[in-house]
Amino acid sequence: GASEVTVVEGLLGYRHDPVSGIIVQVAGDMTFLKDCCITQQTFELPTVFDAETRINAVGSHAFFDNDTVEHLIIPDGYLYVCMDSFVNFQNLKTVTIGKDVSLIEELAFSSCPQLCEFIISEENTHFYTSEGCLLKKDTDTLLLSNGKIPSGTKIVGPSVFVDNQNISDMIVPDGVTEIAPLAFNH
C-alpha cells in the first residue's frame, strides 16, 4: 500500500515534511518557505508542500551560508521574498524572478558578493532590470545593485549598498531624487 507521510506541525504554524526536507510556516493564506535541501548549482524553489498547500513566499532568514547555488529561480506562484531570505550565498550569480513576485524586501540577498544579474519574467508587472540591477517599476526604486546606480533610477532604496565596500567613487546619475536612510550603511 501507499506509505503515509507524517507532516510535523509545530508552533507558530511551522510544518516539516521529513521526506522532502521542506519546512514551511503557514500564516493565513501565505505559506512561507523556511528551509529545504539545496544541492544543485541551478536551483528552483519548490512550489508544493503537500496536496493542499502551495508555497507562495520565501520567509525571513530562510537560507544562509550556501556555496553551491549559482543560479536561483523564484518561480511563478511566489508573491514575496522576505528580508534576509538568502544570506551569504557565496557563488550566487543570477536570480530569476517569476511573474507573480510583487515584493522583495531589503537585504533579501545580503552578502551575495557575485550576484550580478536579475532575470525578470516578461509577465512581471512589479520589477525590471537595468545594467544588471533590480528596480521597482512604479517608483524606479533601486532595490538590488551590482555596485552601481543605473540611469533612470529615481530612488536608491534602503540597504542597497550595505555589502558594497567599494563605494568611494560611485556616480549618482541625474534624476535620483531620494536616497533612503541606510542605503550605504555597512
Side-chain angles (χ1 to χ4, degrees):
S3 63
E4 289 293 315
V5 173
T6 304
V7 173
V8 181
E9 185 92 39
L11 294 174
L12 303 172
Y14 279 87
R15 297 170 66 197
H16 175 229
D17 181 340
V19 174
S20 69
I22 296 173
I23 298 173
V24 296
Q25 183 179 20
V26 180
D29 58 358
M30 296 302 298
T31 300
F32 296 92
L33 179 64
K34 296 299 281 188
D35 199 8
C36 66
C37 184
I38 300 176
T39 56
Q40 300 94 349
Q41 285 184 326
T42 298
F43 184 73
E44 181 170 337
L45 297 177
T47 56
V48 176
F49 181 72
D50 59 29
E52 298 83 37
T53 312
R54 298 289 175 264
I55 302 168
N56 57 8
V58 185
S60 294
H61 309 284
F63 299 98
F64 47 87
D65 298 337
N66 180 297
D67 59 8
T68 302
V69 176
E70 294 180 12
H71 312 287
L72 178 69
I73 300 164
I74 303 169
D76 295 349
Y78 274 75
L79 305 174
Y80 307 135
V81 179
C82 293
M83 181 180 275
D84 292 320
S85 293
F86 301 95
V87 176
N88 199 25
F89 272 51
Q90 287 299 308
N91 295 310
L92 182 63
K93 294 173 180 66
T94 68
V95 175
T96 300
I97 297 172
K99 67 181 172 104
D100 303 309
V101 176
S102 62
L103 176 68
I104 298 174
E105 291 186 343
E106 66 181 280
L107 299 170
F109 296 93
S110 61
S111 300
C112 297
Q114 296 191 52
L115 183 54
C116 62
E117 184 181 7
F118 296 91
I119 302 157
I120 313 294
S121 166
E122 289 181 16
E123 297 174 66
N124 187 300
T125 59
H126 302 281
F127 302 103
Y128 70 97
T129 60
S130 177
E131 299 174 45
C133 301
L134 180 71
L135 293 99
K136 190 138 178 55
K137 271 188 183 172
D138 56 354
T139 58
D140 294 314
T141 301
L142 179 62
L143 299 175
L144 295 162
S145 174
N146 54 14
K148 60 186 158 221
I149 302 174
S151 60
T153 301
K154 291 190 174 109
I155 301 168
V156 177
S159 305
V160 169
F161 296 103
V162 72
D163 295 324
N164 197 320
Q165 304 300 317
N166 214 354
I167 57 175
S168 58
D169 59 354
M170 182 172 292
I171 296 168
V172 178
D174 291 343
V176 172
T177 59
E178 181 183 335
I179 295 178
L182 304 177
F184 294 94
N185 190 37
H186 63 272

